[in-house]
């Protein structure tokens, strides 16, 4: 049963009352206007959302969505061209680089939650994942309790790390929790036998499994810790930029173009190996598209 979705933030509702261009430019929009440049933060291995392909080009579902934001900014500022600078970020650096102005918008696999909303603002949700774990076939780990006393990897600076640390302490599981620098390294620890399980958002695990040397050697857990709504990050209190970002997403969702992009990245062969992840367009995902929300409360996605 879906709960009633909250509307977009008050800042957005108020901001829609008047075009940004009719007001004095501030924040990110002023920076883009003055420099003719927008800097997009991207991930290196968040397949199929934001990652390097086999040609070392940055591609992915989130990147395609954020390029639509660039188009909306061009229209808003009446600029025929805007130079796009791509800046790699990690789970640990993404919010600090947004906050200090190095990156203008981060497009990856970032969960919008209430804790992070104290540091940054978010676009409407564009994908809903769940925290699960992957093991090799034959592993004795079938649920999170089975991890007691085992070596388990997850990625530094993620919701998964926070939740696993809390679970480990609360349940006194004695898990040897290994902090990986990125998702690829976390999965590699399982692949090489140095960890027995890798805990991460299921869509990222799908991508890592599909692009591994032996995809059939791995099992994704049925048990999940929580739902994870993904969204793009922007600077906190940047009202005028949020209006433009949210408008770009609302246009994508209303036109149905987002479903075409979803099919491209989740239901078709994707680089680097041409693997189809075969991720269904769930009823919850359809709900997110039909009723855009920037809520960071997982309960609003149940």
């Amino acid at each position: 049963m879906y709960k009633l979705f909250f509307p977009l933030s008050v800042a957005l509702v108020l901001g829609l009352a008047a075009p940004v261009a009719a007001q004095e430019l501030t924040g990110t929009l002023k920076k883009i206007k003055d420099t003719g440049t927008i800097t997009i933060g991207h991930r290196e291995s968040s397949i199929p959302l934001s990652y390097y392909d086999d040609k070392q080009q940055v591609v992915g579902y989130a990147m395609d969505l954020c390029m639509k934001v660039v188009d909306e900014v061009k229209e808003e500022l009446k600029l025929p061209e805007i130079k796009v600078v791509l800046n790699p970020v990690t789970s640990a650096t993404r919010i600090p680089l947004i906050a200090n102005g190095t990156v203008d918008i981060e497009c990856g696999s970032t969960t919008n939650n209430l804790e992070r909303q104290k540091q940054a603002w978010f676009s409407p949700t564009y994908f809903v994942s769940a925290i699960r774990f992957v093991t090799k076939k034959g592993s004795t780990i079938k649920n999170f309790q089975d991890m007691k006393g085992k070596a388990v990897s997850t990625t530094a600076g993620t919701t998964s790390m926070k939740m696993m640390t809390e679970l480990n302490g609360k349940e006194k599981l004695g898990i040897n929790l290994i902090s990986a620098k990125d998702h690829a390294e976390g999965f590699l620890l399982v692949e090489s036998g140095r960890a027995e399980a890798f805990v991460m958002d299921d869509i990222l695990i799908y991508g890592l499994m599909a692009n591994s040397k032996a995809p059939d050697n791995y099992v994704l857990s049925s048990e999940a810790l929580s739902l994870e709504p993904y969204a793009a990050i922007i600077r906190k209190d940047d009202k005028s930029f949020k209006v433009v970002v949210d408008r770009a997403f609302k246009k994508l969702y209303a036109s149905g173009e987002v479903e075409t992009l979803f099919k491209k990245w989740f239901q078709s062969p994707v680089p680097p190996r041409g693997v189809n992840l075969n991720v269904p367009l769930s009823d919850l995902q359809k709900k997110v598209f039909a009723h855009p929300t920037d809520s960071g409360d997982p309960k609003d996605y149940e």
Side-chain angles (χ1 to χ4, degrees), residues 56-88:
Q56 288 301 294
Q57 299 295 310
V58 183
V59 299
Y61 171 70
M63 295 302 298
D64 281 359
L65 295 177
C66 281
M67 290 310 297
K68 298 296 182 180
V69 172
V70 175
D71 290 341
E72 192 68 27
V73 171
K74 286 180 187 176
E75 184 176 326
E76 180 65 40
L77 298 179
K78 296 179 172 51
L79 292 175
E81 291 297 330
I82 293 176
K83 180 182 178 182
V84 176
V85 175
L86 300 179
N87 194 114

Side-chain angles (χ1 to χ4, degrees), residues 86-105:
L86 300 179
N87 194 114
V89 299
T90 67
S91 300
T93 64
R94 54 194 168 184
I95 291 180
L97 290 177
I98 285 284
N100 70 19
T102 301
V103 170
D104 298 317
I105 183 169

